[in-house]
Amino acid sequence: MPKLIPAVTPGRVGLRGRTRTGRVLASTVTAVLASFVLVAGALAPAADARPAPPDRPGTHRPADVIPRLTDDQGRVLTLRGWNVADKANSGDQALSAITEKQFRDLRARGFGLARLLVFWDDLEPRRGHYSTAYLRRIDRILDWARKYDIQVLIDAHQDVFGPAFGSRGIPAWATRTDGLPFTPHPDDWFSEYFEPAVQRAFTHLYEDPDLQRAQARMWQVLAARYAHHPAVIGYDLINEPMGEMREGEDLATAARRIEARQITPMYNRLARAIRSVDRSTWLFVEPTPIVGEGVPTGLGAVADRRTVYSPHFYNAAMEAGGDYDPSAGWVEAYEDAVTRYPARYRVPIVVGEWGPLNNTLPNMGRFYRDAMSSLSRYSSGWAGWVWCYGGGYCALDASGAFAKNKERTATPYAPAVAGTVRSDTYDDTAGVYRLAYTAGRRGVTEISLPSATGAWRISVTGDARARRDGGQVLVRARPGSRVTVTVAQGAFRK
């Protein structure tokens, strides 16, 4: 949920918030979760839905019932990559900081996904007038992605609603505040979400019919243009939606109500609009960012068979620059909370953003091991924040080398498995990846190999043959055979 980061150019510092303190101070979010209350205004959300009841202890379905993302051959997909963003430029310079080099470097390090941030205020700067120049810049980026075999998730991004509040996202012409106040918080930008004017703007976006139509039309413009682009795998309908609290509500209760009564209907409206021009691209839906504090979402069903749940994976203390505390149980609590929705509604899960601010602290190596292990248990992949060159959140330093500990994200993995996965593990200590599956009738299994200082050793058991093809290994197997692929450092071997 970054705001105005200097992103993607060598030597620049990639930040999620306005300052080096991260997106929100831990003390702020803790206080908000405990007791933040705003006076409800005249506009109350429609009461035609109810938040889903919390799961009772012991009723939570395990992660193994969550379906995996699949392609048109029925292969099981795993998406791994990074967010690609240019928040520093808009108007005539929008997206100009995104370069072909970023996609070439993503592929060289074994990644296959880019979550591309696009902004409604750049696409439709005046109501009903869509920028063909902006669309052409998106075209160029998608063509780079295709060239390097990177799949792209197009993200309709917003932070603190949009430019009316000094940020990016929903256009100023679509921002209605009813004259409520807004006070900037440059040292704690996430708290701006709790300003009355910002919260009221979300209510109008969700409830005003003309703004509902405008948002749907914006997505139709994008989907009609990119429905058949070979690089595009999905549309992320809105980044980290928020809303307006009622008098007496705590944040967790408010989040569940907003998700159930306003965000779920919005997603269904946008799904119908997109399906009028694009029948097959995956639709990614997000909860409010409160899920990061271990609060299960109140989202309801999205009536579309190609829906992906796409929460973000951030911890308030680490966002404030603190170290990872393995004994706090945060990763486990997040996994428990975030898997409830996809288990209930039988949809895949792809985490759309994750990664701490300060990767050099003593426990951050442990964090990446724990996080990668957790993500592999329940998700169909992830996009880290953020693929840029510099400091802060950047994956790479100014020279193009991985920032400390972020190299742990570049492991062998299987972007596509032609069959039923029995196990899929990576031993971070030994540096060994192992995939076991029962081969299906269609397709080829793909193993991605990140660039490494030494050669890779690949061994395959079962009625199967492996072939090295650049930065990947292709495995063909007899249908029904039980195949195990093991990848470690060393020379290639069948």
Side-chain angles (χ1 to χ4, degrees), residues 33 51 245 248-259 290 295:
L33 279 167
M245 298 177 69
E249 278 186 322
D250 62 78
L251 184 55
T253 301
R256 290 178 61 83
R257 173 184 54 77
I258 292 162
E259 287 165 338
I290 310 309
V295 179

Side-chain angles (χ1 to χ4, degrees), residues 364-434:
M364 283 302 171
R366 171 70 181 275
F367 167 71
Y368 276 98
R369 288 195 299 272
D370 290 353
M372 292 284 287
S373 177
S374 175
L375 290 165
S376 296
R377 282 193 291 271
Y378 63 83
S379 81
S380 288
W382 47 260
W385 185 267
V386 55
W387 194 252
C388 57
Y389 308 82
Y393 286 93
C394 284
L396 309 170
D397 64 22
S399 72
F402 271 115
K404 185 175 181 179
N405 286 314
K406 294 203 173 186
E407 76 282 354
R408 296 177 182 273
T409 64
T411 71
Y413 72 101
V417 178
T420 302
V421 177
R422 302 198 313 275
S423 66
D424 186 348
T425 61
Y426 178 71
D427 184 331
D428 182 83
T429 302
V432 175
Y433 171 72
R434 184 168 287 108

Side-chain angles (χ1 to χ4, degrees), residues 207-268:
E207 300 295 339
D208 291 7
D210 63 324
L211 295 184
Q212 293 175 355
R213 291 191 295 270
Q215 186 186 29
R217 178 58 183 154
M218 177 272 293
W219 263 116
Q220 285 178 318
V221 169
L222 288 171
R225 191 175 183 96
Y226 300 120
H228 303 295
H229 196 290
V232 175
I233 192 169
Y235 308 127
D236 192 333
L237 302 185
I238 186 171
N239 179 69
E240 295 182 345
M242 291 286 275
E244 186 169 7
M245 298 177 69
R246 291 176 172 174
E247 184 176 4
E249 278 186 322
D250 62 78
L251 184 55
T253 301
R256 290 178 61 83
R257 173 184 54 77
I258 292 162
E259 287 165 338
R261 299 186 183 183
Q262 294 179 310
I263 297 174
T264 299
M266 175 187 67
Y267 285 150
N268 279 290

Side-chain angles (χ1 to χ4, degrees), residues 86 146 174 182 191 252 329 347 371 400 417 459 481 486 494:
D86 178 8
R146 180 184 185 185
F182 171 75
S191 64
V347 295
V417 178
S459 61
S481 61
T486 303
K494 290 185 180 180

Side-chain angles (χ1 to χ4, degrees), residues 24-46:
V24 58
L25 300 179
S27 59
T28 299
V29 78
T30 301
V32 167
L33 279 167
S35 62
F36 198 102
V37 174
L38 292 177
V39 175
L43 275 178

Side-chain angles (χ1 to χ4, degrees), residues 63-71 74-80 282 305-308 342 346-350 375-382 413-417 419-425 433 435-436:
D64 58 11
V65 306
I66 298 173
R68 296 294 301 271
L69 200 65
T70 56
D71 66 9
R75 297 186 302 172
V76 176
L77 302 182
T78 297
L79 308 178
R80 287 191 183 180
W282 290 92
R305 62 184 179 82
R306 293 177 70 81
T307 298
V308 179
R346 300 296 196 272
V347 295
I349 178 171
V350 173
L375 290 165
S376 296
R377 282 193 291 271
Y378 63 83
S379 81
S380 288
W382 47 260
Y413 72 101
V417 178
T420 302
V421 177
R422 302 198 313 275
S423 66
D424 186 348
T425 61
Y433 171 72
L435 168 70

